[in-house]
Amino acid sequence: MNQTASHSQTPEFDTNKSQTTSVLFQPPKPEEIRLSFWSKAKPVLKEFAAIALIGITVASTVLTVRSCSNDVDRQHAQALKHQLQFSASNEGAR
């Protein structure tokens, strides 16, 4: 009669061990660690494309301005030549 009755409904476990430690952290698999060539090359190609686009824009602007400047100089020289041609012929006719 030395036994005591247990009125608790909670189960008893052998050890006090956490059941979530294996779920919280799992080491990455080798295929997750190793990156493919395209996943490494994609950011590099994007940066190269952006730099190339900026370079092409700047170069085309400079070349366009230079071309227009040369065209204006050529037209100015032709206009002076044309004026001198007619001014010389008018001087002789007077």
Side-chain angles (χ1 to χ4, degrees):
M1 295 249 144
N2 290 337
Q3 295 179 353
T4 57
S6 173
H7 300 288
S8 173
Q9 297 292 326
T10 59
E12 294 181 13
F13 296 103
D14 292 339
T15 58
N16 190 8
K17 183 175 150 184
S18 175
Q19 301 293 320
T20 61
T21 56
S22 63
V23 177
L24 291 178
F25 175 75
Q26 293 179 353
K29 299 174 184 173
E31 59 267 8
E32 294 173 344
I33 295 174
R34 191 170 154 193
L35 298 174
S36 68
F37 173 76
W38 290 112
S39 63
K40 292 178 188 176
K42 189 183 281 189
V44 174
L45 292 175
K46 284 182 179 181
E47 289 293 322
F48 178 75
I51 292 170
L53 182 63
I54 292 171
I56 289 170
T57 303
V58 169
S60 66
T61 303
V62 169
L63 292 175
T64 301
V65 169
R66 183 179 290 171
S67 174
C68 290
S69 174
N70 290 342
D71 195 32
V72 167
D73 290 343
R74 184 184 54 79
Q75 288 178 359
H76 183 67
Q78 285 180 346
L80 285 176
K81 183 179 176 183
H82 187 70
Q83 287 176 355
L84 287 175
Q85 180 184 7
F86 283 107
S87 68
S89 65
N90 284 343
E91 290 291 324
R94 284 186 185 177

Coordinates of all heavy atoms in Angstrom, one line a residue:
M1 N 0.8 -1.2 0.0 CA 0.0 0.0 0.0 C 0.8 1.3 0.0 O 0.3 2.3 0.2 CB -0.9 0.0 1.2 CG -1.9 -1.1 1.2 SD -3.3 -0.2 1.0 CE -4.4 -0.9 0.2
N2 N 2.1 1.1 -0.3 CA 2.9 2.3 -0.3 C 2.9 2.9 -1.7 O 3.6 3.9 -2.0 CB 4.3 1.9 0.0 CG 4.5 1.6 1.5 OD1 3.7 2.0 2.3 ND2 5.5 0.8 1.8
Q3 N 2.1 2.4 -2.6 CA 2.1 3.0 -4.0 C 1.2 4.2 -4.0 O 0.2 4.3 -3.3 CB 1.5 1.9 -4.9 CG 2.3 0.7 -5.1 CD 1.7 -0.2 -6.1 OE1 0.6 -0.1 -6.5 NE2 2.4 -1.3 -6.4
T4 N 1.7 5.2 -4.8 CA 0.9 6.4 -5.0 C 0.3 6.5 -6.4 O 1.0 6.1 -7.4 CB 1.8 7.7 -4.8 OG1 2.8 7.7 -5.7 CG2 2.3 7.8 -3.4
A5 N -0.8 6.9 -6.5 CA -1.5 7.0 -7.8 C -1.1 8.2 -8.6 O -1.0 9.3 -8.0 CB -3.0 6.9 -7.6
S6 N -0.8 8.0 -9.8 CA -0.5 9.2 -10.7 C -1.7 9.6 -11.4 O -2.3 8.8 -12.2 CB 0.7 8.8 -11.6 OG 0.9 9.8 -12.5
H7 N -2.0 10.9 -11.3 CA -3.2 11.4 -12.0 C -2.8 12.2 -13.2 O -3.6 12.8 -13.8 CB -4.0 12.3 -11.0 CG -4.5 11.5 -9.9 ND1 -5.5 10.6 -10.0 CD2 -4.2 11.5 -8.6 CE1 -5.8 10.0 -8.8 NE2 -4.9 10.6 -7.9
S8 N -1.5 12.2 -13.6 CA -1.1 13.0 -14.7 C -1.3 12.3 -16.0 O -1.1 11.1 -16.1 CB 0.4 13.3 -14.5 OG 0.9 13.9 -15.7
Q9 N -1.7 13.0 -17.0 CA -1.9 12.4 -18.3 C -0.7 12.6 -19.3 O -0.8 12.2 -20.4 CB -3.1 13.1 -19.0 CG -4.4 12.9 -18.2 CD -4.8 11.4 -18.3 OE1 -4.6 10.7 -19.3 NE2 -5.4 10.9 -17.2
T10 N 0.4 13.3 -18.9 CA 1.5 13.5 -19.7 C 2.4 12.3 -19.8 O 2.6 11.6 -18.8 CB 2.4 14.7 -19.2 OG1 2.8 14.4 -17.9 CG2 1.6 16.0 -19.2
P11 N 2.8 12.0 -21.0 CA 3.7 10.8 -21.1 C 5.1 11.1 -20.6 O 5.5 12.2 -20.5 CB 3.7 10.5 -22.6 CG 3.4 11.8 -23.2 CD 2.5 12.6 -22.3
E12 N 5.8 10.0 -20.2 CA 7.1 10.2 -19.7 C 8.1 9.7 -20.8 O 7.9 8.7 -21.4 CB 7.3 9.3 -18.4 CG 6.5 9.8 -17.3 CD 6.7 9.0 -16.0 OE1 7.7 8.2 -16.0 OE2 6.0 9.2 -15.1
F13 N 9.1 10.5 -21.0 CA 10.1 10.2 -22.0 C 11.4 9.8 -21.3 O 11.7 10.2 -20.2 CB 10.4 11.4 -22.9 CG 9.2 11.8 -23.8 CD1 8.4 12.9 -23.4 CD2 8.8 11.0 -24.9 CE1 7.3 13.2 -24.2 CE2 7.7 11.4 -25.6 CZ 7.0 12.5 -25.3
D14 N 12.2 9.0 -22.1 CA 13.5 8.6 -21.5 C 14.5 9.7 -21.3 O 15.2 9.8 -20.3 CB 14.1 7.5 -22.3 CG 13.3 6.2 -22.3 OD1 12.5 6.0 -21.3 OD2 13.4 5.4 -23.2
T15 N 14.6 10.6 -22.4 CA 15.5 11.7 -22.3 C 14.8 13.0 -22.7 O 13.8 12.9 -23.4 CB 16.7 11.5 -23.4 OG1 16.1 11.3 -24.6 CG2 17.5 10.3 -23.0
N16 N 15.3 14.1 -22.3 CA 14.8 15.4 -22.6 C 15.5 15.9 -23.9 O 16.4 16.7 -23.8 CB 15.0 16.3 -21.5 CG 14.2 17.6 -21.7 OD1 13.4 17.7 -22.6 ND2 14.4 18.6 -20.8
K17 N 15.1 15.4 -25.0 CA 15.7 15.7 -26.3 C 14.8 16.5 -27.2 O 13.6 16.2 -27.3 CB 16.1 14.3 -27.0 CG 16.9 14.5 -28.3 CD 17.3 13.1 -28.7 CE 17.3 13.0 -30.2 NZ 17.6 11.7 -30.7
S18 N 15.4 17.5 -27.9 CA 14.6 18.3 -28.8 C 14.3 17.5 -30.0 O 15.1 16.8 -30.6 CB 15.3 19.6 -29.1 OG 14.6 20.3 -30.1
Q19 N 13.1 17.6 -30.5 CA 12.6 16.9 -31.7 C 12.8 17.7 -33.0 O 12.6 17.2 -34.1 CB 11.1 16.5 -31.6 CG 10.8 15.6 -30.4 CD 11.5 14.3 -30.5 OE1 11.5 13.7 -31.5 NE2 12.0 13.8 -29.4
T20 N 13.2 19.0 -32.9 CA 13.3 19.9 -34.0 C 14.7 20.2 -34.5 O 14.9 20.8 -35.5 CB 12.6 21.2 -33.7 OG1 13.3 21.8 -32.6 CG2 11.1 21.0 -33.4
T21 N 15.7 19.7 -33.8 CA 17.1 20.0 -34.2 C 17.4 19.5 -35.6 O 18.2 20.2 -36.4 CB 18.1 19.5 -33.2 OG1 17.9 18.1 -33.1 CG2 18.0 20.2 -31.9
S22 N 17.0 18.4 -36.0 CA 17.3 17.8 -37.3 C 16.5 18.5 -38.4 O 16.9 18.4 -39.6 CB 17.1 16.3 -37.3 OG 15.7 16.1 -37.1
V23 N 15.5 19.2 -38.1 CA 14.6 19.9 -39.1 C 15.1 21.3 -39.3 O 15.1 21.8 -40.4 CB 13.2 19.8 -38.7 CG1 12.3 20.6 -39.7 CG2 12.7 18.4 -38.6
L24 N 15.6 22.0 -38.3 CA 16.0 23.4 -38.4 C 17.2 23.6 -39.3 O 17.2 24.5 -40.1 CB 16.2 23.9 -37.0 CG 15.0 24.1 -36.1 CD1 15.4 24.6 -34.7 CD2 14.0 25.0 -36.7
F25 N 18.2 22.8 -39.2 CA 19.4 22.9 -40.0 C 19.7 21.6 -40.7 O 19.9 20.6 -40.1 CB 20.6 23.4 -39.1 CG 21.8 23.4 -40.0 CD1 22.1 24.5 -40.8 CD2 22.8 22.4 -39.9 CE1 23.2 24.5 -41.6 CE2 23.9 22.5 -40.7 CZ 24.1 23.5 -41.5
Q26 N 19.8 21.7 -42.0 CA 20.2 20.6 -42.8 C 21.4 21.1 -43.7 O 21.2 22.1 -44.3 CB 19.1 20.1 -43.7 CG 18.0 19.4 -42.9 CD 16.9 18.9 -43.8 OE1 16.9 19.2 -45.0 NE2 15.9 18.2 -43.2
P27 N 22.5 20.4 -43.7 CA 23.6 20.9 -44.5 C 23.2 20.8 -46.0 O 22.4 20.0 -46.4 CB 24.7 19.9 -44.2 CG 24.1 18.7 -43.5 CD 22.8 19.2 -42.9
P28 N 23.7 21.8 -46.7 CA 23.3 21.9 -48.2 C 23.9 20.7 -48.9 O 24.9 20.1 -48.6 CB 24.0 23.2 -48.7 CG 25.0 23.5 -47.7 CD 24.6 22.9 -46.4
K29 N 23.1 20.3 -49.9 CA 23.5 19.2 -50.8 C 24.6 19.7 -51.7 O 24.7 20.9 -52.1 CB 22.3 18.7 -51.6 CG 21.2 18.2 -50.6 CD 20.0 17.8 -51.4 CE 18.9 17.4 -50.5 NZ 17.6 17.2 -51.2
P30 N 25.4 18.8 -52.3 CA 26.5 19.2 -53.2 C 26.0 19.9 -54.4 O 26.6 20.9 -54.9 CB 27.2 17.9 -53.6 CG 26.9 17.0 -52.4 CD 25.6 17.4 -51.9
E31 N 24.9 19.5 -55.0 CA 24.3 20.2 -56.2 C 23.8 21.6 -55.8 O 23.7 22.4 -56.7 CB 23.2 19.4 -56.8 CG 22.0 19.0 -56.0 CD 22.2 17.7 -55.3 OE1 23.2 17.1 -55.3 OE2 21.2 17.3 -54.6
E32 N 23.5 21.9 -54.6 CA 23.1 23.2 -54.2 C 24.3 24.1 -54.0 O 24.2 25.3 -54.2 CB 22.3 23.1 -52.9 CG 20.9 22.4 -53.0 CD 20.2 22.2 -51.7 OE1 20.9 22.4 -50.6 OE2 19.0 21.9 -51.7
I33 N 25.4 23.6 -53.6 CA 26.6 24.4 -53.4 C 27.2 24.7 -54.7 O 27.6 25.9 -54.9 CB 27.6 23.6 -52.5 CG1 27.0 23.4 -51.1 CG2 28.9 24.3 -52.4 CD1 27.8 22.5 -50.2
R34 N 27.4 23.8 -55.6 CA 28.1 24.1 -56.8 C 27.2 24.8 -57.8 O 26.1 24.4 -58.1 CB 28.5 22.7 -57.4 CG 29.4 22.8 -58.5 CD 29.9 21.4 -58.9 NE 30.3 21.5 -60.3 CZ 30.5 20.4 -61.0 NH1 30.4 19.2 -60.5 NH2 30.8 20.5 -62.3
L35 N 27.7 26.0 -58.3 CA 27.0 26.8 -59.2 C 27.4 26.4 -60.6 O 28.5 26.1 -60.9 CB 27.3 28.3 -59.0 CG 26.9 28.8 -57.6 CD1 27.4 30.2 -57.5 CD2 25.4 28.8 -57.5
S36 N 26.4 26.5 -61.5 CA 26.7 26.2 -62.9 C 27.4 27.3 -63.6 O 27.5 28.4 -63.1 CB 25.4 25.9 -63.7 OG 24.6 27.0 -63.8
F37 N 27.9 27.1 -64.8 CA 28.7 28.1 -65.5 C 27.8 29.3 -65.8 O 28.2 30.4 -65.7 CB 29.3 27.5 -66.8 CG 29.9 28.5 -67.7 CD1 31.1 29.1 -67.4 CD2 29.2 29.0 -68.8 CE1 31.7 30.0 -68.2 CE2 29.8 29.9 -69.6 CZ 31.0 30.5 -69.3
W38 N 26.5 29.0 -66.3 CA 25.7 30.1 -66.7 C 25.2 31.0 -65.5 O 25.0 32.2 -65.7 CB 24.5 29.6 -67.5 CG 24.9 29.0 -68.8 CD1 24.9 27.7 -69.2 CD2 25.4 29.8 -69.9 NE1 25.3 27.7 -70.5 CE2 25.7 28.9 -70.9 CE3 25.6 31.1 -70.1 CZ2 26.2 29.3 -72.1 CZ3 26.2 31.5 -71.3 CH2 26.4 30.6 -72.3
S39 N 25.0 30.3 -64.3 CA 24.6 31.1 -63.2 C 25.8 32.0 -62.7 O 25.5 33.1 -62.1 CB 24.2 30.2 -62.0 OG 25.2 29.4 -61.6
K40 N 27.0 31.6 -63.0 CA 28.2 32.5 -62.7 C 28.4 33.6 -63.8 O 28.7 34.7 -63.5 CB 29.4 31.7 -62.6 CG 29.5 30.7 -61.4 CD 30.8 29.9 -61.5 CE 30.9 28.8 -60.5 NZ 32.1 28.0 -60.6
A41 N 28.1 33.2 -65.0 CA 28.4 34.1 -66.1 C 27.3 35.1 -66.4 O 27.5 36.2 -66.9 CB 28.6 33.3 -67.4
K42 N 26.1 34.9 -65.9 CA 24.9 35.8 -66.2 C 25.2 37.2 -65.6 O 25.0 38.2 -66.3 CB 23.6 35.2 -65.6 CG 22.4 36.0 -66.1 CD 21.2 35.4 -65.5 CE 20.7 34.2 -66.2 NZ 19.4 33.7 -65.8
P43 N 25.6 37.3 -64.3 CA 25.8 38.7 -63.8 C 27.0 39.4 -64.6 O 26.9 40.6 -64.8 CB 26.2 38.5 -62.4 CG 25.8 37.1 -62.0 CD 25.7 36.4 -63.3
V44 N 28.0 38.7 -64.9 CA 29.1 39.3 -65.7 C 28.6 39.8 -67.0 O 29.0 40.9 -67.5 CB 30.3 38.3 -65.8 CG1 31.4 38.9 -66.7 CG2 30.8 37.9 -64.4
L45 N 27.8 39.0 -67.7 CA 27.3 39.4 -69.0 C 26.4 40.6 -68.9 O 26.4 41.5 -69.8 CB 26.6 38.2 -69.7 CG 27.5 37.1 -70.1 CD1 26.7 35.9 -70.7 CD2 28.5 37.5 -71.2
K46 N 25.6 40.6 -67.9 CA 24.7 41.8 -67.7 C 25.5 43.1 -67.5 O 25.2 44.1 -68.0 CB 23.8 41.6 -66.5 CG 22.7 40.6 -66.8 CD 21.8 40.5 -65.6 CE 20.6 39.6 -65.8 NZ 19.7 39.4 -64.6
E47 N 26.6 43.0 -66.7 CA 27.4 44.2 -66.4 C 28.1 44.6 -67.7 O 28.2 45.8 -68.0 CB 28.4 43.9 -65.3 CG 27.9 43.8 -64.0 CD 27.3 45.1 -63.4 OE1 27.9 46.1 -63.7 OE2 26.3 45.0 -62.8
F48 N 28.6 43.6 -68.5 CA 29.3 43.9 -69.7 C 28.3 44.6 -70.7 O 28.7 45.6 -71.4 CB 29.9 42.7 -70.3 CG 30.5 42.9 -71.7 CD1 31.8 43.5 -71.7 CD2 29.9 42.5 -72.8 CE1 32.4 43.7 -72.9 CE2 30.5 42.8 -74.1 CZ 31.7 43.4 -74.1
A49 N 27.1 44.1 -70.8 CA 26.1 44.7 -71.7 C 25.7 46.1 -71.3 O 25.6 47.0 -72.1 CB 24.8 43.8 -71.7
A50 N 25.6 46.4 -70.0 CA 25.3 47.7 -69.5 C 26.4 48.7 -69.8 O 26.2 49.8 -70.3 CB 25.0 47.7 -68.0
I51 N 27.7 48.2 -69.6 CA 28.8 49.1 -69.9 C 28.9 49.3 -71.4 O 29.2 50.5 -71.8 CB 30.1 48.5 -69.3 CG1 30.0 48.5 -67.8 CG2 31.3 49.2 -69.8 CD1 31.1 47.8 -67.1
A52 N 28.7 48.3 -72.2 CA 28.8 48.5 -73.6 C 27.7 49.4 -74.1 O 27.9 50.2 -75.0 CB 28.6 47.1 -74.3
L53 N 26.5 49.3 -73.6 CA 25.4 50.2 -74.0 C 25.8 51.7 -73.7 O 25.5 52.6 -74.5 CB 24.1 49.8 -73.3 CG 22.9 50.6 -73.6 CD1 22.5 50.5 -75.1 CD2 21.7 50.2 -72.8
I54 N 26.3 51.9 -72.5 CA 26.7 53.3 -72.2 C 27.8 53.8 -73.1 O 27.8 54.9 -73.6 CB 27.1 53.4 -70.7 CG1 25.9 53.1 -69.8 CG2 27.8 54.7 -70.3 CD1 26.2 53.0 -68.3
G55 N 28.8 52.9 -73.3 CA 29.9 53.3 -74.2 C 29.5 53.5 -75.6 O 29.9 54.5 -76.2
I56 N 28.6 52.7 -76.2 CA 28.1 53.0 -77.5 C 27.3 54.3 -77.6 O 27.4 55.0 -78.5 CB 27.2 51.8 -77.9 CG1 28.1 50.6 -78.2 CG2 26.4 52.1 -79.2 CD1 27.3 49.3 -78.4
T57 N 26.5 54.6 -76.5 CA 25.7 55.8 -76.5 C 26.7 57.0 -76.5 O 26.5 58.0 -77.3 CB 24.8 55.9 -75.3 OG1 24.0 54.7 -75.3 CG2 24.0 57.1 -75.2
V58 N 27.7 57.0 -75.7 CA 28.7 58.1 -75.6 C 29.4 58.3 -76.9 O 29.6 59.4 -77.5 CB 29.6 58.0 -74.4 CG1 30.7 58.9 -74.5 CG2 28.8 58.1 -73.1
A59 N 29.9 57.1 -77.5 CA 30.7 57.2 -78.7 C 29.9 57.7 -79.9 O 30.3 58.5 -80.7 CB 31.3 55.8 -79.0
S60 N 28.6 57.2 -80.0 CA 27.8 57.7 -81.1 C 27.4 59.1 -81.0 O 27.4 59.8 -82.0 CB 26.5 56.8 -81.2 OG 25.7 57.0 -80.1
T61 N 27.3 59.6 -79.8 CA 27.0 61.1 -79.6 C 28.2 61.9 -80.0 O 28.1 62.9 -80.8 CB 26.7 61.4 -78.1 OG1 25.5 60.6 -77.8 CG2 26.4 62.8 -77.9
V62 N 29.4 61.5 -79.6 CA 30.6 62.2 -80.0 C 30.8 62.1 -81.5 O 31.2 63.2 -82.1 CB 31.8 61.6 -79.2 CG1 33.2 62.1 -79.8 CG2 31.7 61.9 -77.8
L63 N 30.7 61.0 -82.1 CA 30.9 60.9 -83.6 C 29.8 61.7 -84.3 O 30.1 62.3 -85.4 CB 30.8 59.4 -84.0 CG 32.0 58.6 -83.5 CD1 31.8 57.1 -83.9 CD2 33.3 59.1 -84.1
T64 N 28.6 61.7 -83.9 CA 27.6 62.5 -84.5 C 27.9 64.0 -84.5 O 27.8 64.7 -85.5 CB 26.2 62.3 -83.9 OG1 25.9 60.9 -84.0 CG2 25.1 63.1 -84.5
V65 N 28.3 64.5 -83.3 CA 28.7 65.9 -83.2 C 29.9 66.2 -84.0 O 29.9 67.3 -84.7 CB 28.9 66.3 -81.7 CG1 29.6 67.6 -81.5 CG2 27.7 66.2 -80.9
R66 N 30.9 65.4 -84.1 CA 32.1 65.6 -84.9 C 31.7 65.6 -86.4 O 32.2 66.5 -87.1 CB 33.1 64.5 -84.6 CG 34.4 64.8 -85.4 CD 35.4 63.7 -85.1 NE 35.9 63.9 -83.8 CZ 36.7 63.0 -83.1 NH1 37.0 61.9 -83.7 NH2 37.1 63.3 -81.9
S67 N 30.8 64.7 -86.8 CA 30.4 64.6 -88.2 C 29.7 65.9 -88.6 O 29.9 66.5 -89.7 CB 29.6 63.4 -88.4 OG 29.0 63.4 -89.7
C68 N 28.8 66.4 -87.7 CA 28.0 67.6 -88.0 C 28.9 68.8 -88.1 O 28.8 69.7 -88.9 CB 26.9 67.8 -87.0 SG 25.6 66.6 -87.1
S69 N 29.9 68.8 -87.2 CA 30.9 69.9 -87.2 C 31.7 70.0 -88.5 O 31.9 71.0 -89.0 CB 31.8 69.8 -86.0 OG 32.8 70.8 -86.0
N70 N 32.1 68.8 -88.9 CA 32.9 68.7 -90.2 C 32.0 69.1 -91.3 O 32.5 69.8 -92.3 CB 33.4 67.3 -90.4 CG 34.5 67.0 -89.4 OD1 35.1 67.8 -88.8 ND2 34.8 65.7 -89.3
D71 N 30.7 68.8 -91.3 CA 29.8 69.1 -92.4 C 29.6 70.6 -92.4 O 29.6 71.3 -93.5 CB 28.5 68.4 -92.2 CG 27.6 68.4 -93.5 OD1 28.2 68.4 -94.6 OD2 26.4 68.4 -93.3
V72 N 29.5 71.2 -91.2 CA 29.3 72.7 -91.2 C 30.5 73.4 -91.7 O 30.4 74.4 -92.5 CB 28.9 73.1 -89.7 CG1 29.0 74.6 -89.6 CG2 27.5 72.7 -89.3
D73 N 31.7 72.9 -91.3 CA 32.9 73.5 -91.8 C 33.0 73.4 -93.3 O 33.4 74.4 -94.0 CB 34.1 72.9 -91.2 CG 34.3 73.2 -89.7 OD1 33.6 74.2 -89.2 OD2 35.0 72.5 -89.0
R74 N 32.7 72.3 -93.9 CA 32.7 72.1 -95.3 C 31.8 73.0 -96.1 O 32.1 73.6 -97.1 CB 32.4 70.6 -95.7 CG 32.5 70.3 -97.1 CD 32.1 68.8 -97.4 NE 30.8 68.5 -96.9 CZ 29.7 68.8 -97.6 NH1 29.7 69.5 -98.7 NH2 28.5 68.5 -97.0
Q75 N 30.5 73.1 -95.5 CA 29.6 74.0 -96.1 C 30.0 75.5 -96.1 O 29.8 76.2 -97.0 CB 28.2 73.8 -95.5 CG 27.5 72.5 -95.8 CD 26.2 72.4 -95.0 OE1 25.8 73.2 -94.3 NE2 25.5 71.3 -95.3
H76 N 30.6 75.8 -95.0 CA 31.1 77.2 -94.8 C 32.2 77.5 -95.8 O 32.2 78.6 -96.5 CB 31.6 77.4 -93.4 CG 32.1 78.8 -93.1 ND1 31.2 79.9 -93.1 CD2 33.3 79.3 -92.9 CE1 31.9 81.0 -92.8 NE2 33.2 80.7 -92.7
A77 N 33.1 76.5 -96.0 CA 34.2 76.7 -97.0 C 33.6 76.8 -98.4 O 34.1 77.6 -99.2 CB 35.2 75.6 -96.9
Q78 N 32.6 76.0 -98.7 CA 32.0 76.1 -100.1 C 31.3 77.4 -100.3 O 31.3 78.0 -101.4 CB 31.1 74.9 -100.3 CG 31.7 73.6 -100.5 CD 30.7 72.5 -100.7 OE1 29.6 72.6 -100.4 NE2 31.2 71.3 -101.2
A79 N 30.6 77.9 -99.2 CA 29.9 79.2 -99.3 C 30.9 80.3 -99.6 O 30.6 81.2 -100.4 CB 29.1 79.4 -98.1
L80 N 32.0 80.3 -98.9 CA 33.0 81.3 -99.1 C 33.6 81.3 -100.5 O 33.8 82.3 -101.2 CB 34.1 81.2 -98.1 CG 33.8 81.7 -96.6 CD1 35.0 81.5 -95.7 CD2 33.5 83.2 -96.6
K81 N 33.9 80.1 -101.0 CA 34.4 79.9 -102.3 C 33.4 80.4 -103.4 O 33.8 81.0 -104.3 CB 34.7 78.4 -102.5 CG 35.3 78.1 -103.9 CD 35.6 76.6 -104.0 CE 36.2 76.2 -105.3 NZ 36.4 74.8 -105.5
H82 N 32.1 80.1 -103.1 CA 31.1 80.5 -104.1 C 31.0 82.0 -104.1 O 30.9 82.7 -105.1 CB 29.8 79.9 -103.6 CG 28.6 80.1 -104.6 ND1 28.6 79.5 -105.8 CD2 27.5 80.9 -104.5 CE1 27.5 79.9 -106.4 NE2 26.8 80.7 -105.6
Q83 N 31.1 82.6 -102.9 CA 31.0 84.1 -102.8 C 32.2 84.8 -103.5 O 32.0 85.8 -104.2 CB 30.9 84.6 -101.3 CG 29.5 84.3 -100.7 CD 29.5 84.7 -99.2 OE1 30.5 85.1 -98.7 NE2 28.4 84.6 -98.6
L84 N 33.4 84.2 -103.2 CA 34.6 84.8 -103.9 C 34.5 84.6 -105.4 O 35.0 85.5 -106.1 CB 35.8 84.1 -103.3 CG 36.2 84.4 -101.9 CD1 37.4 83.6 -101.4 CD2 36.5 85.9 -101.8
Q85 N 33.9 83.5 -105.9 CA 33.8 83.3 -107.3 C 33.0 84.4 -107.9 O 33.3 85.0 -109.0 CB 33.3 82.0 -107.6 CG 33.1 81.6 -109.0 CD 32.4 80.3 -109.3 OE1 32.0 79.6 -108.3 NE2 32.4 79.8 -110.5
F86 N 31.8 84.7 -107.3 CA 30.9 85.7 -107.9 C 31.4 87.1 -107.6 O 31.1 88.0 -108.4 CB 29.5 85.5 -107.4 CG 28.8 84.3 -108.1 CD1 28.6 83.2 -107.4 CD2 28.4 84.4 -109.4 CE1 28.0 82.1 -108.0 CE2 27.8 83.4 -110.0 CZ 27.6 82.2 -109.4
S87 N 32.1 87.3 -106.5 CA 32.5 88.7 -106.3 C 33.7 89.1 -107.2 O 33.8 90.2 -107.6 CB 33.0 88.9 -104.8 OG 34.1 88.1 -104.5
A88 N 34.5 88.1 -107.6 CA 35.6 88.3 -108.5 C 35.1 88.6 -109.9 O 35.6 89.5 -110.6 CB 36.5 87.1 -108.6
S89 N 34.0 87.9 -110.3 CA 33.4 88.2 -111.7 C 32.7 89.5 -111.7 O 32.6 90.1 -112.7 CB 32.5 87.0 -112.0 OG 31.4 86.9 -111.2
N90 N 32.1 89.9 -110.6 CA 31.4 91.2 -110.5 C 32.4 92.4 -110.6 O 32.1 93.4 -111.1 CB 30.6 91.3 -109.3 CG 29.3 90.5 -109.4 OD1 28.9 90.1 -110.5 ND2 28.7 90.2 -108.2
E91 N 33.6 92.2 -110.0 CA 34.6 93.2 -110.0 C 35.1 93.5 -111.4 O 35.4 94.6 -111.8 CB 35.8 92.9 -109.1 CG 35.5 92.9 -107.6 CD 35.2 94.2 -107.0 OE1 35.9 95.2 -107.5 OE2 34.4 94.4 -106.2
G92 N 35.3 92.4 -112.2 CA 35.8 92.6 -113.5 C 34.7 93.2 -114.5 O 35.0 93.8 -115.5
A93 N 33.4 93.0 -114.2 CA 32.4 93.5 -115.1 C 32.1 95.0 -114.8 O 31.6 95.7 -115.7 CB 31.1 92.8 -114.8
R94 N 32.6 95.6 -113.8 CA 32.3 97.0 -113.5 C 33.2 97.9 -114.3 O 33.9 98.2 -114.9 CB 32.5 97.3 -112.0 CG 31.3 96.8 -111.2 CD 31.5 97.3 -109.8 NE 30.4 96.7 -109.0 CZ 30.3 96.9 -107.8 NH1 31.2 97.6 -107.1 NH2 29.4 96.4 -107.1

